[in-house]
Amino acid sequence: MISAARRKGFVTRRGSNARTSLPRSKQSGNPMAAFDQLPADLREWLRQAALPWSPRSALRVWRSALKKHGGDRTAACAYLSQVELNNLKQEAGRIWGAE
């Protein structure tokens, strides 16, 4: 029997309270080493992030944010927070229904 979560396209992870429609991908390499190579400001932002960002995707968005904001690291952190908030709102709507 297929669970209701699976019918709706959600992924549930055994032994956890994680329910998401985000794709799960295999990690290659050493994620801690990749994290350690990130810029200090980005690492600090990731420590307080609500979502589990991969070092690769965080760096991609970080570089985009720096380019968009002319190298302003504070604005780049604010941009990352906005991206994360948008993702959380989108996921909340998918999981619990739109408000």
Side-chain angles (χ1 to χ4, degrees):
M1 179 156 175
I2 298 174
S3 71
R6 291 221 178 210
R7 282 194 301 263
K8 291 182 180 180
F10 296 110
V11 176
T12 56
R13 291 180 180 82
R14 203 160 204 224
S16 72
N17 194 17
R19 195 170 145 193
T20 181
S21 63
L22 297 172
R24 184 173 173 127
S25 61
K26 288 186 176 185
Q27 294 182 358
S28 62
N30 183 344
M32 288 307 293
F35 179 85
D36 291 341
Q37 293 173 355
L38 295 174
D41 292 339
L42 178 56
R43 287 194 317 263
E44 186 59 38
W45 184 87
L46 284 169
R47 285 185 188 98
Q48 58 80 33
L51 293 174
W53 290 73
S54 72
R56 183 178 177 181
S57 65
L59 185 59
R60 182 176 36 90
V61 175
W62 175 256
R63 286 178 176 159
S64 173
L66 284 176
K67 186 175 181 180
K68 183 176 181 175
H69 296 285
D72 182 353
R73 293 174 176 271
T74 303
C77 286
Y79 179 80
L80 281 169
S81 295
Q82 188 60 48
V83 168
E84 185 173 54
L85 180 62
N86 291 342
N87 285 340
L88 284 168
K89 285 180 182 178
Q90 187 176 27
E91 279 297 293
R94 285 183 183 149
I95 294 172
W96 295 292
E99 289 186 20

